Amino acid sequence: MNLQAQPSSSGQGQYRILREADLRDYLAGLPPVAAQLGGVPAGWSISEVGDGNLNLVFIVKGTSGGIAVKQALPYVRLVGESWPLPLSRAHYEHLALVHHARLTPKLVPAILHHDNPLALTAMELLEPHIIMRKGLIGGIAYPRFVEDISTFMAQTLFFSSDLALSAAEKKEGIADFAGNHALCKITEDLIFTDPYRVAEQNRWTAPWLDTIAAAFREDLDLHVAISRLKLKFMASPEALIHGDLHTGSIMVTVTETKVIDPEFAFYGPMGFDIGAVIGNLIMAYLASAGHERSPGDRAAFEAWLLETIEGVWTEFSRKFLALWRSEGKGDAYPVSLFTGEAGAARLETERQAYMARLFQDTVGFAAAKTIRRILGLAHNLDFEAIADEKQRAICEARSLRLVRTMMLDTPSFTTIGVVTRAAREVRDWQPDFANP
Ligand code: SR1
Ligand code: MG
């Protein structure tokens, strides 16, 4: 397995896991970064704050400002050294950040420095932003979110697709990210395979979900559905996707949204990103009952979540279609094949059909993203923060009931309104754990 980062033209350092003192010396040797921090290096405060599954994250503060430094570890942090992981993911994350910054500079952190051999990126410190998932657990609504995330997805997906690019540009893009296959393999295993079979690392809220987990392992209809989604993930290089666009990869205030952590980026199906956002909002909605202090005290927040789920799809779809109409200069759908009034009308019909297919993919992937967080290895704080395990299991069982239908009967979810209606209906369903 290749544990080395891609060769770098700058070549500032050999890989070593940075500790505080080492990082201080390293940053002191970078004049623009040192100037941004201000003061003397000995006075900088450095703390490791990473709570994700894979990397180290340091916050460094000086007299003038702060920065965030992310360093990839040569293994999966959540599991340990027994699960090696290539450092090259930092290279792909940097490439994706550059793509995002070019298209949506206000929606991503500014990159201050990147060192490939050290698998390290220094970025703007996002303050007072918090991880969106934590805000949602706290019942905070984010009025900018729909506008920002729909812009992020429409821009980054459309402009890396065949609708915008020449065939040559698109294939070069695919090649640039083709080496990120170890990160894809994590997704292929943890999302599309393990939750549906006996796998050592699976876990769920036992004993309440034991019967449901067993049923998911036996359900061949579900195995066909998840395998179709897996194939779509593996074999549909539609656009450069973020690849891990859950609410833990988004930092927010009530006035700003910043998308972070695109280390899983590769050319894949667009619905995987959109489904990640929608699936994670569904989980926030169905976990919300577990965070109530008194019955109904989060009703307004939950109504906002449902409106947000609807807004994410409708605004994404509107913006993506608008881009296609004005910037659809790629090699797919050649303009010369759709001339005149009849051609324009036919192309518009085709655009609507394309969006309908993309919506179906989105529904399926949203379901897959939810199931993996309840029955697989890496769980979501939305549910994990519910201390009463039976109450947590009730919220998780409701989620599984909804998304199992979304995965098995995807065509019946014709609009996003059908999804939110089904979510609202399952919100107060009481599972019978003896007869789930
Ligand atoms: C072993 S990595 C587990 C998960 O963490 C990342 O955030 C991705 O979602 C991955 O699937
Ligand atoms: Mg991440």
Side-chain angles (χ1 to χ4, degrees):
M1 179 178 287
N2 169 27
L3 292 182
Q4 300 307 306
Q6 297 288 305
S8 139
S9 51
S10 49
Q12 289 97 335
Q14 288 302 305
Y15 185 79
R16 61 207 180 271
I17 295 173
L18 289 177
R19 308 287 174 207
E20 185 191 311
D22 203 359
L23 180 62
R24 189 183 303 278
D25 290 347
Y26 177 79
L27 295 175
L30 302 173
V33 173
Q36 165 126 359
L37 288 165
V40 292
W44 296 341
S45 70
I46 302 184
S47 41
E48 204 281 312
V49 297
D51 61 358
N53 295 326
L54 299 180
N55 308 297
L56 295 175
V57 180
F58 298 92
I59 288 182
V60 186
K61 288 189 175 173
T63 52
S64 317
I67 61 169
V69 178
K70 178 170 178 180
Q71 186 183 36
L73 289 166
Y75 51 84
V76 173
R77 180 178 186 159
L78 175 70
V79 174
E81 292 180 40
S82 61
W83 187 343
L85 198 60
L87 298 173
S88 58
R89 67 187 188 274
H91 160 76
Y92 297 109
E93 174 165 3
H94 178 242
L95 269 191
L97 279 169
V98 169
H99 172 74
H100 296 160
R102 184 170 61 78
L103 293 164
T104 55
K106 294 200 170 117
L107 300 179
V108 290
I111 306 161
L112 306 172
H113 173 75
H114 178 69
D115 184 327
N116 247 351
L118 270 181
L120 171 150
T121 305
M123 285 163 277
E124 165 193 14
L125 180 62
L126 298 172
E127 255 184 348
H129 304 65
I130 60 168
I131 292 288
M132 184 177 185
R133 191 186 303 290
K134 293 183 181 170
L136 297 179
I137 291 168
I140 304 170
Y142 293 99
R144 287 281 322 164
F145 180 67
V146 164
E147 172 66 16
D148 289 345
I149 202 70
S150 58
T151 297
F152 177 83
M153 294 194 295
Q155 289 278 328
T156 60
L157 298 178
F158 178 80
F159 283 110
S160 57
S161 78
D162 293 283
L163 304 173
L165 299 178
S166 71
E169 288 169 325
K170 173 76 186 317
K171 286 173 176 61
E172 279 166 18
I174 294 171
D176 287 344
F177 284 85
N180 206 16
H181 47 75
L183 279 281
C184 293
K185 173 86 169 113
I186 288 181
T187 300
E188 288 149 15
D189 290 344
L190 295 192
I191 297 182
F192 295 108
T193 312
D194 287 354
Y196 307 86
R197 66 179 177 185
V198 174
E200 204 187 323
Q201 301 184 110
N202 285 345
R203 62 186 182 86
W204 54 82
T205 309
W208 294 281
L209 299 188
D210 287 354
T211 313
I212 299 177
F216 273 56
R217 292 195 300 270
E218 299 300 319
D219 187 336
L220 286 177
D221 290 337
L222 211 47
H223 295 190
V224 167
I226 192 65
S227 298
R228 286 183 184 166
L229 288 162
K230 181 175 184 178
L231 179 61
K232 189 158 278 173
F233 177 82
M234 295 170 76
S236 309
E238 294 172 350
L240 178 58
I241 65 171
H242 177 287
D244 199 25
L245 196 48
H246 53 75
T247 49
S249 296
I250 301 169
M251 295 192 73
V252 282
T253 66
V254 286
T255 56
E256 270 198 337
T257 310
K258 301 275 185 180
V259 176
I260 61 171
D261 275 3
E263 66 204 305
F264 284 76
F266 81 115
Y267 277 74
M270 302 188 202
F272 189 74
D273 273 2
I274 315 160
V277 173
I278 288 176
N280 277 270
L281 292 172
I282 288 172
M283 284 186 266
Y285 173 72
L286 290 171
S288 181
H291 301 297
E292 283 179 336
R293 294 214 173 95
S294 58
D297 69 347
R298 291 168 63 104
F301 170 70
E302 289 172 21
W304 171 81
L305 270 173
L306 291 179
E307 273 167 35
T308 298
I309 291 168
E310 291 174 7
V312 166
W313 172 259
T314 52
E315 280 303 287
F316 165 78
S317 171
R318 187 182 67 74
K319 291 175 185 177
F320 190 92
L321 278 168
L323 286 172
W324 190 350
R325 291 181 195 117
S326 64
E327 309 288 334
K329 297 169 187 146
D331 279 346
Y333 294 98
V335 178
S336 53
L337 296 190
F338 297 96
T339 55
E341 227 172 87
R346 189 60 195 267
L347 182 55
E348 187 54 31
T349 305
E350 175 58 12
R351 289 189 187 112
Q352 302 297 334
Y354 179 102
M355 296 312 285
R357 285 196 299 272
L358 181 52
F359 182 67
Q360 295 292 288
D361 291 355
T362 298
V363 170
F365 285 126
K369 299 285 271 187
T370 302
I371 292 167
R372 63 80 56 106
R373 295 294 184 192
I374 300 173
L375 300 179
L377 165 70
H379 285 220
N380 269 0
L381 199 57
D382 309 56
F383 295 121
E384 297 294 289
I386 302 170
D388 178 332
E389 291 191 355
K390 183 166 185 196
Q391 180 58 39
R392 186 195 310 158
I394 289 171
C395 296
E396 292 173 327
R398 289 173 181 155
S399 306
L400 290 175
R401 183 178 174 89
L402 169 65
V403 300
R404 181 176 178 277
T405 314
M406 286 167 60
M407 191 179 286
L408 284 178
D409 193 13
T410 310
S412 73
F413 292 84
T414 47
T415 66
I416 193 67
V418 177
V419 175
T420 51
R421 196 177 322 131
R424 201 179 289 110
E425 279 166 15
V426 85
R427 159 71 171 73
D428 295 315
W429 171 70
Q430 287 304 326
D432 173 358
F433 287 124
N435 294 297

